[in-house]
């Protein structure tokens, strides 16, 4: 009996010692890593041999080896905790609003608003679409470079071509407070027309070298895009040892998205409306195919994200627009917790100013009800027949995200029936 206990105790003590040793090893390795970058390459073979004898933890040792063998400035940044956030959405999902959660973070964050707009524009074919394969590759490469604060590749897609890294034409520059910072604000040049100019201060055309330098100074970087179709195409970014990427996928009820599109592009959907009113016009099959394609892409991306394959582990978060609209403060806090970046008072203040979250926090239910009214306005604009079309082609997508099907006009417009199921969508 005694011997048995003694063995256990020795075993536990052994584990404790090994654990302690591991901590020391990782601390030593961190120190070495941060010191080494400025110096000539270190050849720590003797050191490694000594450690190998300990072999307390295979993980720590291999990590240490990798760090010593492959030290670069970017890896050092990653070790320091630099986060690379990609906010991925589709149009009309409230992504500009959610992007502000990061844009408003303050001096720590370099935020870019839709840089891929230029890429899509240049790759648009005469047919009006893009070659999806070619576009996906270009999006991936440009995002990867931008996350490393390198604008060189993006420059190739900006029209007119930047001269000496200066452009007056960066799409929606003013939507990125980082690009209108003092440090990125060059003197105004008379006679240069700037379609997208800073509002916070008067600045001349954007000097992308300055932008890149400013980006490197910031602790974190966030990019919002509605152009990436499939999350899987960004896998190389998650696996890039220079990056520590966090993907946030923002989704919204496809019926609401379509309702919003029908308001924005009235002419395009004229036939749909007439068809819904019972007139004998054919519904545009091409648009139906596109709708299905979009829903399928969004669902496939989310399915991969929620499955959490090793390359995405702890890197993926799914957010529903409807939850953000109803509980902006709570959801913003969750998003920040997921990214591992402090949720600053600036962001909180911005959310308070721009939503009714103050009342959410104090638990006044009328506010929540009001917000859900806003969120569910589409239910009174979208003809039931069209809601049925969306349910037919986007059924699995609705199901996955917890959007309830409606089976009658009455149910569609019955405010007492919520179409948003409470659903736990993340496992990180
Ligand atoms: C130490 O661990 C590695 C695996 O990382 C193994 O290949 C090696 O044989 C171990 N060395 C000793 C001395 O146990
Ligand atoms: C070192 O980094 C380069 C690129 O940054 C990568 O291709 C290579 O596989 C890395 N080597 C190791 C041992 O991690
Ligand atoms: C799309 O681009 C890829 C490579 O960029 C090319 O191989 C393919 O032929 C293109 N597809 C079409 C339909 O043009
Ligand atoms: C930026 O990327 C380009 C290739 O796209 C490369 O030639 C250049 O050296 C990079 N710049 C920096 C500062 O790393
Ligand atoms: C752009 O900014 C860089 C870095 O601050 C500077 O060296 C360069 O001269 C600027 N370019 C122009 C044309 O002002
Ligand atoms: C609901 O909220 C909107 C702003 O989001 C506000 O204009 C409106 O007055 C509110 N309605 C009620 C009944 O509180």
């Amino acid at each position: 009996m005694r011997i048995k206990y003694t063995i256990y105790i020795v075993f536990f003590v052994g584990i404790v010692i090994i654990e302690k040793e591991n901590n020391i090893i990782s601390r030593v390795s961190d120190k070495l890593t941060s010191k080494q970058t400025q110096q000539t390459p270190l050849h720590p073979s003797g050191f490694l041999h000594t450690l190998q004898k300990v072999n307390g933890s295979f993980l720590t040792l291999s990590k240490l080896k990798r760090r010593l063998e492959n030290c670069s400035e970017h890896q050092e940044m990653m070790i320091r905790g630099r986060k690379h956030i990609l906010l991925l959405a589709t149009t009309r999902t409230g992504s500009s609003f959610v992007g502000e959660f990061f844009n408003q973070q303050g001096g720590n964050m370099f935020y870019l608003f839709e840089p891929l707009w230029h890429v899509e524009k240049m790759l648009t074919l005469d047919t009006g679409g893009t070659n999806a394969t070619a576009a996906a590759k270009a999006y991936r490469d440009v995002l990867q470079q931008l996350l490393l604060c390198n604008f060189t590749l993006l420059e190739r897609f900006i029209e007119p071509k930047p001269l000496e890294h200066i452009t007056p034409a960066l799409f929606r520059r003013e939507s990125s407070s980082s690009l209108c910072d003092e440090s990125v604000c060059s003197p105004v040049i008379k006679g240069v027309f700037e379609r997208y100019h800073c509002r916070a201060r008067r600045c001349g055309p954007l000097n992308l070298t300055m932008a890149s330098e400013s980006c490197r100074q910031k602790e974190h970087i966030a990019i919002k895009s509605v152009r990436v179709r499939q999350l899987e195409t960004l896998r190389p970014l998650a696996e890039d040892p220079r990056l520590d990427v966090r993907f946030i996928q923002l989704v919204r009820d496809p019926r609401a998205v379509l309702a919003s599109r029908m308001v924005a592009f009235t002419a395009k959907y004229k036939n749909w409306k007439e068809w819904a009113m019972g007139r004998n016009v054919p519904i545009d099959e091409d648009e139906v195919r596109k709708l299905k394609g979009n829903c399928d892409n969004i669902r496939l991306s989310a399915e991969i994200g929620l499955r959490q394959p090793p390359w995405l582990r702890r890197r993926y978060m799914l957010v529903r627009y409807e939850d953000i609209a109803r509980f902006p403060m709570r959801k913003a806090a969750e998003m920040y917790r997921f990214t591992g970046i402090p949720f600053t008072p600036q962001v909180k203040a911005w959310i308070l100013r721009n939503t009714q979250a103050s009342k959410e926090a104090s638990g006044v239910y009328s506010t929540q009800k009001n917000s859900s009214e806003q969120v569910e306005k589409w239910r009174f604009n979208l003809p039931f027949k069209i809601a049925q079309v969306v349910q037919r082609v986007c059924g699995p997508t609705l199901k996955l995200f917890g959007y309830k099907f409606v089976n009658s006009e009455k149910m569609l417009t019955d405010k007492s029936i919520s179409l948003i199921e409470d659903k736990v969508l993340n496992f990180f």
Side-chain angles (χ1 to χ4, degrees):
M1 237 5 194
R2 277 235 182 101
I3 289 171
K4 210 169 168 189
Y5 281 122
T6 313
I7 287 172
Y8 277 130
I9 288 168
V10 167
F11 184 68
F12 280 124
V13 169
I15 285 184
V16 168
I17 289 172
I18 286 168
E19 271 305 309
K20 282 249 159 74
E21 210 139 11
N22 283 346
N23 284 340
I24 291 165
I25 291 171
S26 6
R27 254 180 265 138
V28 168
S29 92
D30 282 345
K31 287 238 171 71
L32 273 175
T33 311
S34 56
K35 273 195 190 139
Q36 192 214 335
T37 37
Q38 308 292 342
Q39 299 163 2
T40 47
L42 201 72
H43 293 288
S45 49
F47 181 59
L48 275 182
H49 273 125
T50 322
L51 284 175
Q52 210 111 47
K53 277 185 202 142
V54 178
N55 227 5
S57 153
F58 302 157
L59 190 80
T60 311
L61 264 183
S62 56
K63 224 200 280 177
L64 171 60
K65 263 201 264 183
R66 229 186 10 252
R67 282 187 195 176
L68 289 172
E69 281 165 13
N70 208 1
C71 261
S72 72
E73 213 174 296
H74 286 299
Q75 273 178 312
E76 195 203 345
M77 281 199 311
M78 185 184 140
I79 290 161
R80 277 209 319 259
R82 184 179 179 86
K83 298 292 191 302
H84 307 80
I85 299 159
L86 286 172
L87 176 60
L88 304 172
T90 51
T91 50
R92 314 216 156 253
T93 54
S95 63
S96 300
F97 177 75
V98 178
E100 287 300 311
F101 291 2
F102 296 104
N103 191 34
Q104 300 293 332
Q105 204 262 356
N108 265 340
M109 179 74 74
F110 193 83
Y111 174 76
L112 291 174
F113 177 97
E114 296 298 338
L116 298 182
W117 182 86
H118 293 283
V119 182
E120 181 182 48
K121 187 145 181 281
M122 185 162 286
L123 295 182
T124 297
L125 309 165
D126 295 336
T127 57
T130 55
N131 173 338
T133 319
K137 186 177 176 310
Y139 293 159
R140 180 198 66 202
D141 292 345
V142 170
L143 284 177
Q144 187 167 24
Q145 290 301 308
L146 288 176
L147 290 174
L148 293 165
C149 298
N150 189 332
F151 286 78
T152 314
L153 190 54
L154 178 65
E155 280 192 33
R156 287 195 221 151
F157 294 94
I158 299 175
E159 269 181 329
K161 277 251 167 308
L163 288 173
E164 293 180 47
H165 312 294
I166 307 270
T167 176
L170 191 87
F171 178 64
R172 298 277 300 266
R173 171 187 182 179
E174 72 279 8
S175 298
S176 159
S177 62
S178 324
L179 294 181
C180 293
D181 260 1
E182 191 91 54
S183 62
V184 185
C185 190
S186 48
V188 177
I189 301 176
K190 265 203 180 144
V192 175
F193 172 70
E194 284 185 77
R195 170 131 192 244
Y196 307 106
H197 54 270
C198 291
R199 300 224 179 84
R201 51 173 63 83
R202 270 169 58 78
C203 299
L206 180 63
N207 179 337
L208 290 162
T209 309
M210 280 162 92
S212 167
E213 283 169 2
S214 170
C215 174
R216 281 168 219 268
Q217 298 294 319
K218 304 271 166 115
E219 209 169 329
H220 307 292
I221 175 165
I223 301 177
K224 158 187 126 65
S225 179
V226 295
R227 293 181 162 77
V228 175
R229 295 279 156 260
Q230 298 240 0
L231 180 60
E232 188 139 37
T233 60
L234 300 183
R235 178 169 174 172
L237 276 59
E239 291 177 337
D240 185 332
R242 297 167 297 178
L243 302 175
D244 188 6
V245 183
R246 297 287 184 278
F247 301 100
I248 298 178
Q249 187 184 1
L250 177 65
V251 300
R252 185 180 182 188
D253 189 328
R255 294 166 300 193
V257 172
L258 183 62
S260 172
R261 287 181 61 82
M262 288 176 73
V263 172
F265 309 105
T266 320
K268 201 169 179 177
Y269 290 97
K270 202 165 142 268
N271 275 4
W272 285 53
K273 277 198 184 129
E274 298 203 349
W275 173 80
M277 286 188 294
R279 295 215 189 96
N280 191 17
V281 289
I283 187 165
D284 185 349
E285 281 306 324
D286 206 39
E287 277 300 309
V288 176
R289 255 196 307 279
K290 258 191 226 161
L291 177 67
K292 178 167 166 39
N294 285 343
C295 279
D296 287 345
N297 279 331
I298 294 165
R299 177 174 50 83
L300 288 171
S301 294
E303 280 172 351
I304 289 173
L306 295 175
R307 217 186 300 136
Q308 302 263 309
W311 64 275
L312 265 183
R313 199 151 290 151
R314 291 190 304 276
R315 299 199 182 284
Y316 176 84
M317 178 182 191
L318 180 65
V319 184
R320 293 188 302 192
Y321 166 78
E322 291 79 4
D323 293 327
I324 289 180
R326 292 182 302 164
F327 316 109
M329 197 64 84
R330 192 196 302 171
K331 295 311 282 187
E334 274 177 30
M335 286 160 69
Y336 268 93
R337 202 177 322 129
F338 161 70
T339 61
I341 298 172
F343 187 33
T344 60
Q346 289 103 296
V347 182
K348 285 179 200 164
W350 186 88
I351 293 173
L352 285 177
R353 277 201 307 281
N354 290 278
T355 65
Q356 298 192 323
S358 48
K359 292 178 205 158
E360 172 204 341
S362 65
V364 177
Y365 281 91
S366 63
T367 316
Q368 191 182 322
K369 197 169 151 205
N370 185 338
S371 298
S372 32
E373 266 168 33
Q374 291 296 117
V375 168
E376 303 202 295
K377 235 165 68 182
W378 66 270
R379 295 171 64 174
F380 306 92
N381 302 334
L382 191 72
F384 174 61
K385 269 181 86 173
I386 294 183
Q388 280 180 304
V389 173
V390 181
Q391 292 178 173
R392 179 162 54 80
V393 302
C394 297
T397 308
L398 290 168
K399 257 203 207 108
L400 178 66
F401 299 140
Y403 298 127
K404 263 180 243 162
F405 286 55
V406 295
N407 50 35
S408 66
E409 172 101 49
K410 189 165 164 293
M411 181 177 175
L412 176 62
T413 54
D414 182 349
K415 280 196 268 186
S416 70
I417 303 172
S418 167
L419 299 185
I420 307 159
E421 285 168 17
D422 285 328
K423 206 165 175 179
V424 177
L425 295 161
N426 288 293
F427 313 103
F428 60 84

